Amino acid sequence: MSEYQTPLIASEEVRKNFIKSFLLVSIVAALVIAASWYLGDLLGDVKMGLIIGGIVVAVVLPLQIFTAKWAILGMTRGRVADPDDLQERRLLHLAEGLSISAGLSRVPDVYIIPTSVPNAFASGLNENDAFIGVTQGLLDQMNDQQLEGVLAHEFGHIIHRDIMLNQLVVGLISALLVLAIIIERVGFMEMISGGRRRRSDRDSGGGIVVLVLILLVILIRPLAMLIGALLQSAISRQREYAADAVAVRLCSYNEGLASALESLGREDHYSDEEVESLGSKQLAAMYIHFPSVNELFSTHPPIADRVARLRNMY
């Protein structure tokens, strides 16, 4: 029996997962501000540290956001779906129908990814820039209801601008890592110089303060990488739940996506060759399903949990 005894309402699930995502993104932003403040503390000028943090974010975010589309298409080797191909025409017709159901002003561009691994993703900054990638393996293996459920899930990401959110998170985490590297360098210089800038309260702490400074400098980069990976995975998992709920709302039917996920879930791992055919692990968070050997860092919730939620949702 499903652990979800009370039926789930799709629109309510979307709202709850949006709130959770907002809180997690706020934590990432707070960490960037905290790192900037600590950098300023090391430099003896907190305002300067915050300015440096602002500059790093202002440089990293636009690079991350505005180059993402072409990087993704290059890594996946995607090509535009051909309406003259019967199999791909079926895909385009489903995309057109879902665009009408979703109230979009245009049908997202659809690309075919040349791999036998069944999978799909959505990308693009907004509705006008959105596109969907579908692997040849997914086209070959899914029936119409399953394929529609998968597409509806990807439409959920487009409707909620999850791709923009994902790029924002990746950009903030990248900025956090850059700040961690700067803090590491400044901290080592501080230690080598004997702490000439150290204030009197630090001097009064003696060796303990020096030891704490050394530990912070040594651990700042691995800690930033660990926390960033955990938060990115948590945010991605919440957005998957929300997109599943949107799929139910768009299709007015939960079994298509549920059975598609069950089929995808039979792959408990990908070989190195399969990962490369999907564009590498860097794109894991984009796909509807990506097996992970470490659930803590998984970008997707367990398939069994998603299927249980879907079959108890209306």
Side-chain angles (χ1 to χ4, degrees):
M1 182 179 291
S2 171
E3 64 179 287
Y4 301 101
Q5 300 299 322
T6 304
L8 304 175
I9 302 173
S11 58
E12 180 63 16
E13 285 298 294
V14 170
R15 187 189 67 82
K16 288 193 296 186
N17 285 294
F18 176 82
I19 293 172
K20 292 176 183 177
S21 297
F22 176 80
L23 291 174
L24 289 167
V25 173
S26 298
I27 292 173
V28 179
L31 287 172
V32 172
I33 294 172
S36 302
W37 182 92
Y38 182 60
L39 174 61
D41 187 56
L42 283 175
L43 294 171
D45 186 344
V46 171
K47 183 178 179 180
M48 177 59 68
L50 293 173
I51 291 174
I52 293 174
I55 292 172
V56 170
V57 171
V59 172
V60 172
L61 269 184
L63 284 175
Q64 180 66 45
I65 290 174
F66 294 111
T67 62
K69 178 178 181 177
W70 308 115
I72 292 166
L73 288 176
M75 294 169 72
T76 58
R77 306 183 311 282
R79 62 169 178 81
V80 177
D82 183 4
D84 293 328
D85 182 285
L86 290 178
Q87 195 178 44
E88 295 174 24
R89 186 188 306 167
R90 172 178 67 125
L91 177 66
L92 292 171
H93 286 167
L94 289 172
E96 289 170 2
L98 287 169
S99 295
I100 295 171
S101 297
L104 299 183
S105 60
R106 63 178 285 273
V107 180
D109 296 329
V110 179
Y111 290 83
I112 305 300
I113 311 304
T115 172
S116 61
V117 181
N119 224 318
F121 68 83
S123 190
L125 298 179
N126 51 50
E127 178 183 329
N128 294 325
D129 189 50
F131 64 96
I132 293 173
V134 174
T135 68
Q136 186 62 49
L138 192 79
L139 276 177
D140 293 338
Q141 296 184 28
M142 299 291 162
N143 61 37
D144 283 359
Q145 288 182 334
Q146 292 172 325
L147 188 57
E148 183 182 43
V150 171
L151 282 177
H153 171 95
E154 301 307 334
F155 270 81
H157 287 306
I158 293 171
I159 293 168
H160 292 151
R161 299 196 174 185
D162 285 345
I163 295 87
M164 172 67 84
L165 176 66
N166 183 61
Q167 296 305 323
L168 172 64
V169 171
V170 171
L172 287 174
I173 291 174
S174 298
L176 179 63
L177 294 177
V178 171
L179 287 169
I181 293 171
I182 296 173
I183 289 171
E184 186 180 65
R185 299 292 187 269
V186 172
F188 278 126
M189 290 178 62
E190 171 83 1
M191 289 184 290
I192 292 172
S193 67
R196 291 192 301 265
R197 191 198 57 78
R198 205 172 292 123
R199 298 187 299 267
S200 59
D201 59 331
R202 286 182 178 172
D203 291 333
S204 64
I208 295 178
V209 174
V210 175
L211 179 60
V212 171
L213 178 62
I214 292 172
L215 287 174
L216 282 173
V217 169
I218 292 174
L219 296 176
I220 186 70
R221 196 194 306 191
L223 278 175
M225 293 175 67
L226 175 63
I227 293 171
L230 287 172
L231 286 171
Q232 185 178 10
S233 297
I235 292 168
S236 178
R237 287 194 292 269
Q238 293 303 320
R239 304 320 296 158
E240 292 303 314
Y241 282 134
D244 285 348
V246 171
V248 173
R249 193 172 65 190
L250 288 179
C251 297
S252 300
Y253 179 71
N254 57 15
E255 187 57 30
L257 179 57
S259 61
L261 286 174
E262 282 184 326
S263 177
L264 293 173
R266 296 189 185 106
E267 291 284 343
D268 59 357
H269 72 280
Y270 286 154
S271 67
D272 291 341
E273 291 78 12
E274 288 173 328
V275 169
E276 285 304 312
S277 72
L278 291 170
S280 86
K281 287 184 179 179
Q282 296 178 39
L283 304 182
M286 291 176 45
Y287 282 97
I288 189 171
H289 171 61
F290 207 96
S292 173
V293 295
N294 190 329
E295 290 189 9
L296 185 63
F297 294 99
S298 175
T299 54
H300 294 71
I303 286 288
D305 185 48
R306 293 172 69 182
V307 170
R309 282 172 174 259
L310 281 166
R311 286 188 170 142
N312 199 44
M313 189 182 300
Y314 67 92

